[in-house]
Amino acid sequence: MGKKNPVIIKARQEGYNNGFKIGFEQGTESGRNTAIQIFAARFDGLDKVPGIGPKILDKVINHFGQEYFQEVPDELRKVVKDAKGI
């Protein structure tokens, strides 16, 4: 087997590294969005819990962030309730 071309080896390695970087960033973003949806589903209905009024709810929202109190899709709500055993 002959010598390998260093330009081709370098180009292949750069392509691999760029692909890994892009895949990692997309996976991280996807995981973050999934986690936010799961937390949002767990916080769903928090305003209906006795003893939690608007002031405490505002404190919770400010602490965790507005993104955790978004509209939860029905299919995710069902999955989270099944996991809780409700």
Side-chain angles (χ1 to χ4, degrees):
M1 187 164 173
K3 285 185 148 183
K4 295 186 177 183
N5 188 335
V7 175
I8 294 174
I9 293 172
K10 182 180 176 187
R12 180 183 178 278
Q13 188 64 39
E14 286 176 359
Y16 176 83
N17 290 342
N18 287 337
F20 180 82
K21 178 182 173 188
I22 291 169
F24 181 79
E25 289 170 355
Q26 288 175 348
T28 302
E29 184 67 24
S30 174
R32 182 178 297 120
N33 290 339
T34 302
I36 287 173
Q37 288 180 345
I38 290 171
F39 274 105
R42 291 201 178 255
F43 287 139
D44 189 38
L46 189 62
D47 54 340
K48 295 172 185 74
V49 174
I52 297 184
K55 288 182 183 179
I56 292 179
L57 189 60
D58 283 342
K59 287 181 183 180
V60 172
I61 291 172
N62 287 335
H63 178 76
F64 286 104
Q66 185 65 41
E67 64 269 14
Y68 292 110
F69 294 89
Q70 62 187 342
E71 183 65 31
V72 179
D74 289 336
E75 60 273 1
L76 182 62
R77 185 178 292 129
K78 182 181 180 331
V79 169
V80 171
K81 285 184 179 181
D82 289 346
K84 284 184 186 178
I86 297 175

